[in-house]
Amino acid sequence: MIERLEKIFIDEKSLDSEVAQRAFQLFPRQKIEVVKEEPWSDIKRSLTAEEFERSKKNIFLTTFNGQFFKRCPGSTQKKVLNCCNYHILNLGSQCPMNCSYCYLQSYLNSPISKIYTNIDQALSELKEMADANSHLPFRVGTGEIIDSLALDPLTLYSRKLIEFFKQYPKWTLEFKTKSNLVDQFLDLGPATNTIVSWSLNADYVIQKEEHLTASLSDRLQAAQKCLSSGFSVAFHLDPLIYHEGWKENYADLVDRITTQFTPSQVNVISLGTLRFQPEQRFMMKKRFGFDSLVNQAEMFPSEGAKLRYDASLRNEMFKFVYSRFKSHSESWRIFLCMETPETWISTFESQPMNKPELKELFRPLPTISVSE
Amino acid sequence: MKLKSNFSLGLDFKPLQSWPETVPAVALGSYLLCGFSLPEDHPVYEHPLQNSFDHSNVLKSLYPQLTLSEIARLFQTPDFSKVFTPEPIEKAYGFHLTPETQEVLSYLPQTPESFQTLLSQKKWSPQDLHPLLLLPLSSRAFVIEELLSHADSKQESVKRLELLSDLLMMKHSPESLSGMKLEILHQKRYPLTTDRDSAQKKQDLPWLSQIKNQFKRRGDKAGYEVQFFAGTPAELNKMAQNLTRVAEAWNSKS
């Protein structure tokens, strides 16, 4: 994955960082440029399709001066954690892979990929939170605005994070990826409070929409490696994308998971259907055209202002995938990601708090403050 | 004061509002800024033209509001770069400084005048035109003709543009889309949902004749809008019982 990077810009203030030193070992010198300022920093607006493409191939190693640790998006309260148990640790931004539906297309306005070199500062921020709340089961993910592992062979941040979380057994670290890059941390297992999770899709959808990602087989094989080394694994079947033959293709996906893993081996499975911000559609059409299933999709404004499939189609897709899992075993722990209570009820005939296998995951945690 | 004949017409962007004959026109240095169509002997006030000075405030004072088409035409005038730079003007008139906006502004003057007028009248924004930019030049002419030939509201026009742009990119031929009602274009763009909605619409449900019902789509949901009048508690009860029967029948069919 890192071989696809065309240029590595290193902030001169980050020259002594471990990541910068590793970049010098991994890349030919002509690919590296030490700079005083962020490249293309004059661009202070939403990116064009061409600028977005470029931002995937160029990376800036620099420090981050803001708050690394945040609540998951959707939260409107600031400074207070009214916990939904999921939190975000942002150690960089942008992704070298190229999924047609990626929400970063409407979310990012930085013209270059970034890796924050001051991970020690991030860990000390996290330590403050963890020390104060070590008895509570917080979940922390690193894959919100960057794939957790796609650039890990360069940063090796997985190793620092796994070691850090070993000190807080009640806390859970979640890597979320579409790569198969796990070898660099397997020797640190067992570490059951590290969940390595994969965003999975039907083979057909991966080939059509998830460009430059690992194949389904490679992702599942990487998950097996993690299990064997004592890590937890989880799968996100998200976004489910409607297409001709979707039932056969998603049945095949579920069957491949259920034949290769048992319910007790998989921490949780989340389901989500295609959704995106309306302003993203212009960029997606320009970048991927109408061969893309995402641009062909029949999308409608829904609650939360995102565009989604017709509610009855969403229900049909959720029910199909859910039933397929449950036909193999009732023990699969499955939940819906970013869905309305109506969809929960029409799919599961109940809310998450009423489902014994999901109760723990959705149980609200006490409110805690984050210092800035 | 000097006479209009002494000034250049190189900034004539064909403003929609004509300058009143009863007041002098205004020029920036030797470049006339308004009253382009007034007689040659019309008096003109000459505002000094200073180098490296933002003159967009003078323009804004003369034209508190300019439409997208007018700004696009102004940018294309032969003397524009001698007097202005685009950014302060875009800012003064509330446009976002994106490359897409620049593309819209440079493309618009190439379109038929009637289209430019339509955009001005309906107060289109640069973002409204983004679907047009996705199309090759050859298809844009067809879409513009379609937009001009329908007496749509602004909202309908914007919708029509996006539907036509999508359908052309989905390889529908212009002939198959020409002259279509908005509803038909929508059905072509959303065939799966149209079929699902039609099937649901055709459901024979046991509604009481006193309960007006209409099948509707609202965003990502489709369902029934129900209206009835109950004059007594007994009537209300009767309606409620009927609604329960309808719900059961609907549930058994879905």
Side-chain angles (χ1 to χ4, degrees), chain B residues 7-12 27-33 47-56 74-86 89:
Chain B
F7 294 90
S8 156
L9 293 177
L11 289 175
D12 183 3
L28 259 174
S30 59
Y31 306 100
L32 202 63
L33 266 183
H47 191 85
L49 180 66
Q50 294 163 277
N51 287 338
S52 45
F53 184 79
D54 174 16
H55 297 104
S56 64
L74 175 67
F75 282 14
Q76 296 291 309
T77 54
D79 289 337
F80 177 79
S81 58
K82 294 172 188 162
V83 182
F84 298 112
T85 47
I89 295 179

Side-chain angles (χ1 to χ4, degrees), chain A residues 104-264:
Chain A
L104 295 179
Q105 292 171 106
S106 62
Y107 185 81
L108 284 185
N109 55 10
S110 168
I112 191 163
S113 299
K114 284 180 188 165
I115 288 292
Y116 303 128
T117 53
N118 50 336
I119 187 172
D120 292 339
Q121 197 180 321
L123 292 179
S124 78
E125 190 183 300
L126 199 57
K127 187 175 187 316
E128 188 192 328
M129 296 290 296
D131 284 344
N133 303 282
S134 61
H135 59 295
L136 297 171
F138 281 98
R139 291 156 57 230
V140 181
T142 59
E144 189 211 3
I145 53 172
I146 187 167
D147 183 281
S148 295
L149 298 176
L151 297 171
D152 203 47
L154 165 63
T155 65
L156 297 181
Y157 282 170
S158 60
R159 299 184 65 84
K160 286 189 180 242
L161 289 165
I162 292 164
E163 294 286 25
F164 177 89
F165 273 78
K166 279 183 178 175
Q167 303 166 69
Y168 303 96
K170 285 235 168 196
W171 281 47
T172 307
L173 167 67
E174 182 177 344
F175 295 132
K176 200 182 269 189
T177 189
K178 288 192 185 99
S179 78
N180 61 341
L181 301 167
V182 297
D183 293 340
Q184 68 278 11
F185 62 76
L186 291 179
D187 61 300
L188 297 178
T192 49
N193 71 333
T194 293
I195 301 174
V196 191
S197 75
W198 275 267
S199 168
L200 298 181
N201 222 313
D203 245 337
Y204 177 75
V205 175
I206 290 177
Q207 284 166 33
K208 261 190 104 64
E209 309 296 329
E210 299 183 350
H211 310 287
L212 308 178
T213 62
S215 68
L216 176 60
S217 303
D218 286 349
R219 293 183 213 179
L220 294 175
Q221 203 182 343
Q224 284 291 2
K225 279 190 196 174
C226 288
L227 267 183
S228 306
S229 300
F231 294 92
S232 300
V233 302
F235 298 128
H236 306 287
L237 276 62
D238 190 1
L240 299 171
I241 294 180
Y242 176 86
H243 57 278
E244 209 180 316
W246 68 271
K247 284 188 179 173
E248 293 77 10
N249 290 336
Y250 282 117
D252 176 64
L253 171 63
V254 172
D255 294 351
R256 284 174 75 172
I257 294 168
T258 53
T259 50
Q260 293 182 40
F261 300 87
T262 63
S264 63

Side-chain angles (χ1 to χ4, degrees), chain B residues 94-106:
Chain B
F95 293 112
H96 293 293
L97 305 172
T98 66
E100 284 86 8
T101 303
Q102 313 279 11
E103 199 180 338
V104 166
L105 289 170
S106 66

Side-chain angles (χ1 to χ4, degrees), chain A residues 271-305:
Chain A
L271 307 180
T273 55
L274 180 66
R275 58 198 175 276
F276 50 82
Q277 296 289 345
E279 59 269 25
Q280 190 174 315
R281 66 198 195 284
F282 179 70
M283 170 84 93
M284 294 195 310
K285 286 172 189 172
K286 198 162 188 181
R287 296 185 68 225
F288 298 100
F290 270 77
D291 283 339
S292 162
L293 301 169
V294 170
N295 289 327
Q296 292 166 21
E298 300 184 17
M299 306 297 277
F300 300 92
S302 68
E303 280 174 47

Side-chain angles (χ1 to χ4, degrees), chain B residues 107-117 144-145 148:
Chain B
Y107 171 65
L108 261 186
Q110 302 163 41
T111 63
E113 215 168 285
S114 50
F115 182 61
Q116 295 176 39
T117 307
I144 288 172
E145 212 167 288
L148 286 169

Side-chain angles (χ1 to χ4, degrees), chain A residues 314-371:
Chain A
R314 297 208 308 273
N315 290 342
E316 190 183 336
M317 295 177 83
F318 284 137
K319 273 186 177 167
F320 178 82
V321 175
Y322 180 78
S323 313
R324 190 81 184 188
F325 270 110
K326 294 290 181 176
S327 71
H328 289 283
S329 166
E330 277 296 325
S331 309
W332 290 102
R333 289 209 313 165
I334 301 170
F335 74 93
L336 303 184
C337 185
M338 291 194 180
E339 264 300 343
T340 58
E342 290 94 324
T343 310
W344 269 90
I345 290 165
S346 56
T347 306
F348 297 144
E349 290 168 357
S350 81
Q351 288 273 57
M353 281 303 287
N354 298 329
K355 295 191 74 68
E357 71 270 27
L358 299 178
K359 208 169 181 172
E360 192 56 36
L361 203 64
F362 281 83
R363 189 192 304 269
L365 291 177
T367 301
I368 54 173
S369 298
V370 184
S371 62

